[in-house]
Amino acid sequence: MASSTPYTVRWGILATGWIAETFTKDLLTNPASRDVHDVRHEVVAVSSSSSKDRAADFIKQVNAPSTTKAYGSYHELVADPDVDIIYVATPHSHHFQNAMLALTAGKNVLCEKSLTVTAAQTRKLIETARSKNLFFMEAVWTRYFPLSIKVRELITSGALGNVYRTIADLSVGRDAPEGKIDFPDSNRMVNADLAGGALLDLGIYALTWVFQSLYHTQPEEEKEAPNVIAAVNKYHTGADETTSIILQFPKHKSHGIALTSLRVASEPDNKDTAGASIRIQGGLGEIQVVGPAYRPHQLRIITKESDGKAEVIDFTIPKDKERDWGHGMFWEADEAARCLRDGQKQSKTLPWSESIVIMEVMDETLRQGGVTYPEVISTDVFDPQSPLNTGKR
Ligand SMILES: NC(=O)C1=CN([C@@H]2O[C@H](COP(=O)(O)OP(=O)(O)OC[C@H]3O[C@@H](n4cnc5c(N)ncnc54)[C@H](OP(=O)(O)O)[C@@H]3O)[C@@H](O)[C@H]2O)C=CC1
Ligand SMILES: O=C1OC[C@@H](O)[C@H](O)[C@H]1O
């Protein structure tokens, strides 16, 4: 018999930057505000590699319970016996070392995108999670949106016929005079020491739409790794600034076109007038996904049957009115909670095997573009005393 008591997950937050704040505020919303009643979340500890004070400020900033523990190091957080799962919210450069730190301490992990800098690092993390019987998931929040679920249902129901092509773009329009990009060179978006660049930060979302529509929705035995043809422009920091990828899935005769750029914008006026950022095209019609690829808000479904008329479905992100907050990251947290409750070590919506194939596509793209990152962030040898774990910058 199903229990009426929601299953509670106790979170530890590793790092205190922008996304850590956004995600933690989502964890603290009332699940009932999104009509979820089977799981709930507690934030029991927050760690900052900068200082314990920084962690304490963060706890106040997000209005977490006063019992939440503040730690001045990632090592202390992963050793806390009250924590069930660690949310890794550092820059991409740090994900491998930080997630290994947590897994080797026996903690389940939800790790921000891009999962790692290299596919070898992803494989190592997955081997570690498997050998320690722990839950591990890449935090591609968009996959858990009701909008994404609807898109996958439409594809698998055959509403579009065979899907032959997906075009997906996430570009942020930060071109600046004299060949510059409007981020300081030290910013994680362009800083090679922090695994900066368009592909790992934004291109992962364009690839998410290609994979959701052309790979994930295939029966298990039909899934195939694609051939990759990439064009990459590098910025003077060595990170990629504009990257375009053609993915060819030979068995299914389908193509994915994943686009990302720090210079041009997929939504120049943020008002949906530029058209859909994502088009999923089948023999019988197409789905247009409107809004930024990471947080889209509308579907337009145009099929031969509808005679060219679009069925438009709007999706709003529910807000917890008491906290005046709701960003949309809570759905991935709910997924992690249900996996922990049910003893599943990976999410069916983004299984380990798929994270590996996507990282392999990114590896190949960066190889073709001649983008390389420093050894300290691209090694797949775990070092608990790495500066990425100790915060010694
Ligand atoms: N899902 C989503 O929508 C989004 C996901 N992201 C992902 O989240 C991750 C973090 O991004 P974001 O929050 O924007 O980044 P921020 O720069 O805002 O925060 C990163 C945090 O990591 C910690 N950190 C540890 N070492 C370093 C270092 N050498 N340089 C900078 N920070 C360091 C710091 O926390 P402390 O000092 O407390 O240890 C810092 O506050 C990235 O992987 C990014 O791709 C980002 C934005 C949106
Ligand atoms: O994941 C992300 O989504 C939103 C973007 O603004 C941000 O750069 C990226 O990290």
Side-chain angles (χ1 to χ4, degrees):
M1 206 170 67
S3 158
S4 57
T5 311
Y7 180 83
T8 301
V9 171
R10 300 169 304 168
W11 290 84
I13 309 297
L14 190 147
T16 59
W18 178 64
I19 207 60
E21 178 177 336
T22 307
F23 179 80
T24 306
K25 284 165 143 181
D26 262 19
L27 283 181
L28 293 166
T29 57
N30 182 351
S33 62
R34 57 186 177 275
D35 205 19
V36 164
H37 305 277
D38 59 329
V39 290
R40 60 186 286 278
H41 308 279
E42 280 177 6
V43 177
V44 296
V46 172
S47 69
S48 170
S49 62
S50 308
S51 66
K52 186 176 173 180
D53 285 350
R54 171 68 201 126
D57 287 347
F58 177 94
I59 289 165
K60 282 196 203 115
Q61 212 167 303
V62 299
N63 195 15
S66 55
T67 49
T68 308
K69 289 175 259 187
Y71 293 123
S73 76
Y74 300 158
H75 280 261
E76 286 170 281
L77 178 76
V78 302
D80 185 331
D82 294 333
V83 169
D84 298 321
I85 181 167
I86 305 273
Y87 172 61
V88 174
T90 45
H92 328 312
S93 45
H94 290 48
H95 292 176
F96 171 71
Q97 293 293 346
N98 299 162
M100 283 296 287
L101 187 73
L103 289 170
T104 54
K107 295 297 187 207
N108 301 294
V109 170
L110 174 66
C111 181
E112 260 309 331
K113 42 58 59 180
S114 63
L115 190 50
T116 50
V117 180
T118 69
Q121 291 179 333
T122 289
R123 285 191 287 268
K124 180 68 79 68
L125 284 167
I126 288 169
E127 275 163 33
T128 307
R130 184 178 281 121
S131 71
K132 293 193 152 280
N133 201 27
L134 290 165
F135 172 78
F136 177 63
M137 173 176 146
E138 178 180 3
V140 183
W141 59 313
T142 318
R143 285 213 181 209
Y144 302 91
F145 281 29
L147 176 148
S148 290
I149 295 169
K150 177 74 181 171
V151 168
R152 296 194 297 265
E153 278 169 7
L154 283 164
I155 293 170
T156 51
S157 73
L160 303 182
N162 283 332
V163 179
Y164 291 114
R165 193 170 64 182
T166 293
I167 307 165
D169 179 22
L170 180 59
S171 301
V172 292
R174 300 293 288 260
D175 191 39
E178 295 167 12
K180 294 280 179 50
I181 292 174
D182 186 18
F183 287 110
D185 289 357
S186 58
N187 187 284
R188 70 167 189 84
M189 295 298 287
V190 290
N191 182 347
D193 291 339
L194 297 178
L199 179 67
L200 292 179
D201 193 67
L202 306 169
I204 175 67
Y205 289 106
L207 288 169
T208 290
W209 284 101
V210 168
F211 272 81
Q212 289 208 97
S213 54
L214 301 178
Y215 180 96
H216 188 83
T217 35
Q218 297 289 350
E220 212 46 55
E221 62 286 0
E222 293 281 316
K223 288 180 178 163
E224 57 180 331
N227 299 321
V228 173
I229 303 167
V232 177
N233 289 355
K234 282 206 277 184
Y235 193 42
H236 72 86
T237 58
D240 64 307
E241 57 173 52
T242 296
T243 293
S244 307
I245 316 170
I246 301 177
L247 300 97
Q248 182 192 34
F249 298 86
K251 227 176 2 187
H252 297 104
K253 300 190 188 313
S254 61
H255 290 181
I257 299 162
L259 307 170
T260 184
S261 177
L262 299 174
R263 292 209 182 267
V264 297
S266 27
E267 298 183 289
D269 61 0
N270 296 320
K271 286 194 186 119
D272 301 341
T273 54
S277 314
I278 297 134
R279 293 178 67 185
I280 301 167
Q281 303 175 306
L284 299 179
E286 79 171 56
I287 303 173
Q288 300 178 346
V289 184
V290 180
Y294 51 83
R295 197 171 184 251
H297 59 87
Q298 188 184 74
L299 296 182
R300 294 183 191 146
I301 304 155
I302 307 165
T303 59
K304 285 189 174 157
E305 251 182 26
S306 69
D307 213 17
K309 239 182 118 204
E311 180 193 350
V312 178
I313 312 178
D314 289 305
F315 291 81
T316 46
I317 310 265
K319 245 190 189 181
D320 177 335
K321 292 205 176 72
E322 299 239 318
R323 294 185 71 94
D324 192 25
W325 185 261
H327 192 70
M329 304 192 84
F330 33 57
W331 286 307
E332 68 177 353
D334 294 342
E335 166 77 0
R338 291 187 184 115
C339 287
L340 291 183
R341 178 194 63 191
D342 300 342
Q344 287 175 23
K345 304 305 167 194
Q346 52 184 313
S347 163
K348 290 197 175 80
T349 304
L350 182 45
W352 292 343
S353 55
E354 196 164 337
S355 286
I356 291 174
V357 178
I358 294 173
M359 272 312 309
E360 285 172 347
V361 168
M362 296 208 278
D363 260 11
E364 176 57 18
T365 300
L366 294 171
R367 191 195 65 75
Q368 289 183 24
V371 176
T372 54
Y373 291 110
E375 173 68 11
V376 66
I377 66 167
S378 49
T379 179
D380 61 356
V381 177
F382 171 51
D383 175 7
Q385 295 310 321
S386 159
L388 308 175
N389 281 326
T390 61
K392 294 204 175 74
R393 292 176 199 166

